[in-house]
Amino acid sequence: MPNTVSINGTTIITNGKSVRVAGGRIIVDGQDITPDVPNIVVSVQGDIETVTTEHGDVVVEGSVGKIESKNGNIQCRDVQGDVTSKNGNISCGTIHGDATTKNGNIR
């Protein structure tokens, strides 16, 4: 089933399984969809396996395998694995793995 991935209002429909934000670039299953704006918000409508960011907030409206963010808040529903944020809050439904943050709150 296709997912909807929105980055700062730019939306693509994909059967993607992976979203990665690194080095200032946003990659969905190997496709670079980086917008020309400094603040990044990754929003996924549907189920996805992984979301990884260096900078930017993450919102997943569906199930996710795991989420990692170095600098950004994480909001999601069910997580099958771990949720990790170095600098940001974590607010998720059921987390089947571990939830860790160095500078933030876990709810």
Side-chain angles (χ1 to χ4, degrees), residues 22-97:
R25 309 307 299 167
I26 302 166
I27 311 297
V28 176
D29 280 353
Q31 178 184 358
D32 189 332
I33 62 164
T34 306
D36 293 328
V37 294
N39 296 323
I40 297 172
V41 177
V42 177
S43 177
V44 178
Q45 301 291 321
D47 298 339
I48 194 158
E49 288 182 13
T50 62
V51 179
T52 305
T53 69
E54 287 182 358
H55 302 283
D57 294 339
V58 176
V59 179
V60 179
E61 295 292 334
S63 180
V64 62
K66 72 175 187 175
I67 302 176
E68 296 178 41
S69 176
K70 288 186 181 174
N71 294 299
N73 297 317
I74 298 172
Q75 292 181 329
C76 58
R77 292 184 184 169
D78 293 335
V79 183
Q80 302 308 309
D82 299 337
V83 180
T84 305
S85 175
K86 294 197 187 233
N87 295 301
N89 297 321
I90 298 172
S91 178
C92 295
T94 302
I95 300 172
H96 295 277

